[in-house]
PDB file of all heavy atoms in Angstrom:
ATOM      1  N   VAL A 350       7.651 -18.297 -11.596  1.00 94.00           N
ATOM      2  CA  VAL A 350       8.914 -17.590 -11.341  1.00 94.00           C
ATOM      3  C   VAL A 350       9.535 -17.936  -9.983  1.00 94.00           C
ATOM      4  O   VAL A 350      10.551 -17.380  -9.597  1.00 94.00           O
ATOM      5  CB  VAL A 350       8.785 -16.048 -11.451  1.00 94.00           C
ATOM      6  CG1 VAL A 350       8.383 -15.628 -12.843  1.00 94.00           C
ATOM      7  CG2 VAL A 350       7.822 -15.506 -10.420  1.00 94.00           C
ATOM      8  N   ASP A 352      11.773 -19.425  -7.438  1.00 91.00           N
ATOM      9  CA  ASP A 352      13.162 -19.901  -7.545  1.00 91.00           C
ATOM     10  C   ASP A 352      13.849 -19.488  -8.856  1.00 91.00           C
ATOM     11  O   ASP A 352      14.904 -20.019  -9.186  1.00 91.00           O
ATOM     12  CB  ASP A 352      13.250 -21.430  -7.405  1.00 91.00           C
ATOM     13  CG  ASP A 352      12.659 -21.897  -6.090  1.00 91.00           C
ATOM     14  OD1 ASP A 352      12.777 -21.141  -5.111  1.00 91.00           O
ATOM     15  OD2 ASP A 352      12.059 -22.994  -6.047  1.00 91.00           O
ATOM     16  N   VAL A 353      13.243 -18.592  -9.631  1.00 96.00           N
ATOM     17  CA  VAL A 353      13.929 -18.111 -10.842  1.00 96.00           C
ATOM     18  C   VAL A 353      14.701 -16.848 -10.463  1.00 96.00           C
ATOM     19  O   VAL A 353      14.125 -15.906  -9.906  1.00 96.00           O
ATOM     20  CB  VAL A 353      12.907 -17.770 -11.964  1.00 96.00           C
ATOM     21  CG1 VAL A 353      13.625 -17.159 -13.176  1.00 96.00           C
ATOM     22  CG2 VAL A 353      12.137 -19.009 -12.356  1.00 96.00           C
ATOM     23  N   ALA A 354      16.011 -16.851 -10.738  1.00 96.00           N
ATOM     24  CA  ALA A 354      16.831 -15.696 -10.352  1.00 96.00           C
ATOM     25  C   ALA A 354      16.593 -14.542 -11.320  1.00 96.00           C
ATOM     26  O   ALA A 354      16.636 -14.734 -12.539  1.00 96.00           O
ATOM     27  CB  ALA A 354      18.299 -16.080 -10.358  1.00 96.00           C
ATOM     28  N   PRO A 355      16.332 -13.345 -10.780  1.00 97.00           N
ATOM     29  CA  PRO A 355      16.186 -12.195 -11.676  1.00 97.00           C
ATOM     30  C   PRO A 355      17.546 -11.778 -12.243  1.00 97.00           C
ATOM     31  O   PRO A 355      18.583 -12.072 -11.659  1.00 97.00           O
ATOM     32  CB  PRO A 355      15.637 -11.094 -10.767  1.00 97.00           C
ATOM     33  CG  PRO A 355      15.933 -11.510  -9.383  1.00 97.00           C
ATOM     34  CD  PRO A 355      16.126 -12.990  -9.365  1.00 97.00           C
ATOM     35  N   ARG A 356      17.542 -11.106 -13.400  1.00 97.00           N
ATOM     36  CA  ARG A 356      18.796 -10.577 -13.930  1.00 97.00           C
ATOM     37  C   ARG A 356      19.196  -9.338 -13.118  1.00 97.00           C
ATOM     38  O   ARG A 356      18.342  -8.694 -12.510  1.00 97.00           O
ATOM     39  CB  ARG A 356      18.610 -10.167 -15.398  1.00 97.00           C
ATOM     40  CG  ARG A 356      18.259 -11.327 -16.289  1.00 97.00           C
ATOM     41  CD  ARG A 356      18.218 -10.870 -17.749  1.00 97.00           C
ATOM     42  NE  ARG A 356      17.594 -11.888 -18.579  1.00 97.00           N
ATOM     43  CZ  ARG A 356      17.326 -11.717 -19.868  1.00 97.00           C
ATOM     44  NH1 ARG A 356      17.623 -10.583 -20.471  1.00 97.00           N
ATOM     45  NH2 ARG A 356      16.765 -12.687 -20.567  1.00 97.00           N
ATOM     46  N   PRO A 516      10.601 -16.551 -17.958  1.00 97.00           N
ATOM     47  CA  PRO A 516      10.442 -16.409 -16.507  1.00 97.00           C
ATOM     48  C   PRO A 516      11.477 -15.479 -15.870  1.00 97.00           C
ATOM     49  O   PRO A 516      11.155 -14.713 -14.968  1.00 97.00           O
ATOM     50  CB  PRO A 516      10.616 -17.848 -15.996  1.00 97.00           C
ATOM     51  CG  PRO A 516      10.197 -18.701 -17.149  1.00 97.00           C
ATOM     52  CD  PRO A 516      10.609 -17.964 -18.385  1.00 97.00           C
ATOM     53  N   ASP A 517      12.739 -15.511 -16.359  1.00 97.00           N
ATOM     54  CA  ASP A 517      13.728 -14.630 -15.708  1.00 97.00           C
ATOM     55  C   ASP A 517      13.479 -13.156 -16.034  1.00 97.00           C
ATOM     56  O   ASP A 517      13.778 -12.277 -15.215  1.00 97.00           O
ATOM     57  CB  ASP A 517      15.168 -15.054 -16.043  1.00 97.00           C
ATOM     58  CG  ASP A 517      15.501 -14.863 -17.508  1.00 97.00           C
ATOM     59  OD1 ASP A 517      14.621 -15.085 -18.356  1.00 97.00           O
ATOM     60  OD2 ASP A 517      16.657 -14.485 -17.795  1.00 97.00           O
ATOM     61  N   VAL A 518      12.888 -12.888 -17.197  1.00 98.00           N
ATOM     62  CA  VAL A 518      12.551 -11.499 -17.530  1.00 98.00           C
ATOM     63  C   VAL A 518      11.403 -11.034 -16.618  1.00 98.00           C
ATOM     64  O   VAL A 518      11.443  -9.937 -16.050  1.00 98.00           O
ATOM     65  CB  VAL A 518      12.184 -11.373 -19.031  1.00 98.00           C
ATOM     66  CG1 VAL A 518      11.553 -10.021 -19.339  1.00 98.00           C
ATOM     67  CG2 VAL A 518      13.436 -11.581 -19.883  1.00 98.00           C
ATOM     68  N   ALA A 520      10.701 -12.323 -13.669  1.00 98.00           N
ATOM     69  CA  ALA A 520      11.259 -12.231 -12.312  1.00 98.00           C
ATOM     70  C   ALA A 520      12.028 -10.928 -12.147  1.00 98.00           C
ATOM     71  O   ALA A 520      11.994 -10.299 -11.075  1.00 98.00           O
ATOM     72  CB  ALA A 520      12.174 -13.426 -12.041  1.00 98.00           C
ATOM     73  N   THR A 521      12.698 -10.481 -13.211  1.00 98.00           N
ATOM     74  CA  THR A 521      13.442  -9.216 -13.130  1.00 98.00           C
ATOM     75  C   THR A 521      12.472  -8.047 -12.992  1.00 98.00           C
ATOM     76  O   THR A 521      12.689  -7.131 -12.186  1.00 98.00           O
ATOM     77  CB  THR A 521      14.326  -9.027 -14.387  1.00 98.00           C
ATOM     78  OG1 THR A 521      15.082 -10.221 -14.583  1.00 98.00           O
ATOM     79  CG2 THR A 521      15.267  -7.852 -14.223  1.00 98.00           C
TER      80      THR A 521
END
Side-chain angles (χ1 to χ4, degrees):
V350 298
D352 303 327
V353 175
R356 297 185 193 174
D517 66 323
V518 168
T521 310

